[in-house]
Amino acid sequence: MTFKENYEHWLKSEYIDENTKEELTGVKNEKEIEDRFYRDLEFGTGGLRGVIAAGSNRMNIYTVGKATQGLADYLNKNYTGEISVSIAYDSRNMSKEFSERSASVLCANGITVNLFESLRPTPVLSYTVRHLKSKAGIVVTASHNPKQYNGYKVYDEDGGQVTDKAAKEILDCISAISEFKNVKTMDLEKAKEDKLLNIIGEEVDKTYIDKVKALTIREELVRNSAKDLKIIYTPIHGSGNIPIRRVLSELGYDNVFVVKEQELPDGNFPTASYPNPEQPSVFELALKLAKEVNPDVIFGTDPDCDRIGVVVKDKEGEYRVLTGNQTGVLLTHYIVSSLKELNKLPENGTVIKTIVTSEMTRRITEDFNVELIDVLTGFKYIGEKIKEFEKTGSNTYLFGFEESYGCLAGTFVRDKDAVIGATLICEMALYYKNKGLSLYDALIDLYKRYGFYKESLVSLELKGKEGQEKIQKALENLRHSMEDNVAEVKIVKSFDYKLSIEKDIINNSQSDIKLPKSNVLKFILEDGSWFVVRPSGTEPKMKVYMAVVGKDLSDADRKSDDFNKAVMEIINNACNN
């Protein structure tokens, strides 16, 4: 149906409440109505994400209910016997309501639900699915998006986000629901009486925290010296406050100073319009506190506590926000070097990164004779590899990370985990402090040893139907009309992850890419620089990742500026031709 027909359908439906209809009749701008109704909110491999508002292309109890009915139909179709689903939610506006609507729909379909009593980090949900042997999991969050957004991520029985095949099957089930009357609901009190709804909390939290503590590598160091590390932490109004402070306290980190103005959960994020630890501005209050505390390390987590950003002091006394790549290479080196020193590095040890993550990782893993595996962007692909290793015994997972501030050690969680990240970052900072070094000193030492790598990201926001069309057009232009050089430096390799083709331009040969298909392009140049173009899976954006290698910091900065300018000129031409 057209967007106007869809709009009228909502206004006339007896299953849509009067407040929602009143909101819709108050929208006078036809472009706004079109954007709300030209499609159903897309269920991708990560689930749903969108602006909270009425409409089929928005996050509301009706779109969440429909998605959950589709998930229920998928589970009842694929499993027999008792089926359970675990549900968590973060601090965002409507997160609790959306989680309760999800529970209501699942229970109405005869599926048992384990619902957390209050907000929890996304990685705790990933752990809970496996711990309680659920067939699926749901976490209501929009991660680091602005306050207008919320989302709904679906996890499989292994605790990882559903990957392409399962997501398509769930989408087919959702698409088959044509009427609101086909979405079943159940009163939650009745669901509790019928033993279909279990409220969970501390009994799960304790086992999770114990497993996080067990990831400590240098136990004696932490036991004897944790009290000496001075830490500033900001939860940025999210779900990390209680679990991170708890695990650090139980490990003996007594000097943890929390940014009071950002401590309590608040879906309006009053001190951070974009609650993302990738953004230096979210640390302004932490840096103000740092003048009083003089910490060894500062870190912050996003609302659902799966991403972590780190701030360290350089030689001049200036605080610097590390990139996700910088934190990731520091942790990679710390983990593999510590395991080697302690004679605990397995022969088949493996690190996993995404195709847009720093190639400096490769230099480190080669140095320690550790295998490095690349996967598509999205932590679900790292989780998928962990599952594969478990089945085959071919590799021992050591660590995985992506440039967008997500990392994971251990295998009891199958998604990025900022609680684990915080624990390892504190241990690493403590180790270097005992050597008279800051984390920034350690990073510079790694650059001197492996090369001065610099990565950057530009996100082009292209909203609405026209924006989506422009993104697709740009990728097709680059796919078929890309020049053979960037600023007179030759392209030596190209990777088309949609067509699954890797081209070696120097040797005029090509091979198959053994990864799932994705509309992503990567180009590698003669001097080691590279760039990747991909549409965001969760936001109306096209992302351009760029990387260079310099002789020193200033050379890397200069190269990065020149390279980024040349690449963005190519991208803008592709968007507008």
Side-chain angles (χ1 to χ4, degrees), residues 211-223:
K211 285 182 176 291
V212 174
K213 290 191 296 182
L215 292 173
T216 302
I217 301 170
R218 298 178 182 272
E219 295 176 13
E220 188 177 350
L221 170 72
V222 172
R223 187 165 51 250

Side-chain angles (χ1 to χ4, degrees), residues 28 68 108 115 144 178 187 267-268 360 418 456 513 525 533:
K28 304 302 180 186
T68 309
L115 175 64
H144 56 286
S178 57
D187 178 74
N268 291 317
M360 187 172 171
S456 52
I513 297 173
L525 279 67
V533 187

Side-chain angles (χ1 to χ4, degrees), residues 193-419:
E193 289 172 19
D194 293 351
K195 309 295 185 191
L196 283 166
L197 178 61
N198 305 311
I199 303 301
I200 58 173
E202 171 60 20
E203 67 277 17
V204 176
D205 295 337
K206 185 181 186 309
T207 60
Y208 167 77
I209 293 292
D210 286 346
K211 285 182 176 291
V212 174
K213 290 191 296 182
L215 292 173
T216 302
I217 301 170
R218 298 178 182 272
E219 295 176 13
E220 188 177 350
L221 170 72
V222 172
R223 187 165 51 250
N224 295 335
S225 305
K227 63 184 182 302
D228 300 329
L229 192 74
K230 209 175 279 188
I231 302 157
I232 288 180
Y233 168 53
T234 172
I236 318 176
H237 306 292
S239 60
N241 185 38
I242 291 174
I244 284 182
R245 291 172 72 178
R246 176 176 177 176
V247 74
L248 293 182
S249 174
E250 291 185 16
L251 283 169
Y253 293 99
D254 297 332
N255 283 307
V256 180
F257 299 84
V258 177
V259 178
K260 290 296 178 189
E261 299 93 331
Q262 297 177 321
E263 179 181 7
L264 298 179
D266 189 333
N268 291 317
F269 308 112
T271 67
S273 59
Y274 192 39
N276 184 356
E278 297 177 57
Q279 299 292 319
S281 59
V282 302
F283 291 106
E284 285 176 4
L285 291 166
L287 291 172
K288 184 179 173 186
L289 178 60
K291 291 175 182 176
E292 303 169 29
V293 171
N294 192 25
D296 297 299
V297 64
I298 301 169
F299 54 81
T301 53
D302 66 344
D304 68 323
C305 195
D306 62 354
R307 297 170 194 247
I308 185 164
V310 181
V311 184
V312 295
K313 192 185 282 189
D314 65 17
K315 287 288 191 190
E316 285 70 47
E318 294 294 318
Y319 285 100
R320 293 175 177 263
V321 180
L322 298 184
T323 67
N325 281 309
Q326 290 171 329
T327 302
V329 296
L330 276 165
L331 283 168
T332 299
H333 184 269
Y334 175 72
I335 290 166
V336 297
S337 64
S338 297
L339 291 173
K340 184 172 183 179
E341 183 188 324
L342 299 170
N343 293 315
K344 293 181 179 179
L345 187 62
E347 286 185 11
N348 62 353
T350 304
V351 171
I352 307 174
K353 74 174 187 68
T354 68
I355 60 171
V356 299
T357 299
S358 178
E359 283 297 308
M360 187 172 171
T361 320
R362 198 172 306 279
R363 294 288 308 278
I364 295 169
T365 53
E366 285 171 354
D367 195 17
F368 288 89
N369 198 29
V370 166
E371 185 175 355
L372 179 69
I373 292 177
D374 278 315
V375 295
L376 290 177
T377 310
F379 222 89
K380 57 184 174 283
Y381 297 112
I382 295 177
E384 202 173 40
K385 278 290 177 187
I386 296 172
K387 182 179 180 180
E388 180 188 310
F389 296 167
E390 217 169 51
K391 282 185 176 178
T392 64
S394 60
N395 302 65
T396 299
Y397 176 77
L398 300 177
F399 185 62
F401 80 101
E402 58 186 2
E403 54 73 41
S404 56
Y405 292 62
C407 65
L408 176 68
T411 60
F412 56 91
V413 171
R414 298 295 166 88
D415 205 349
K416 51 188 177 284
D417 188 333
V419 182

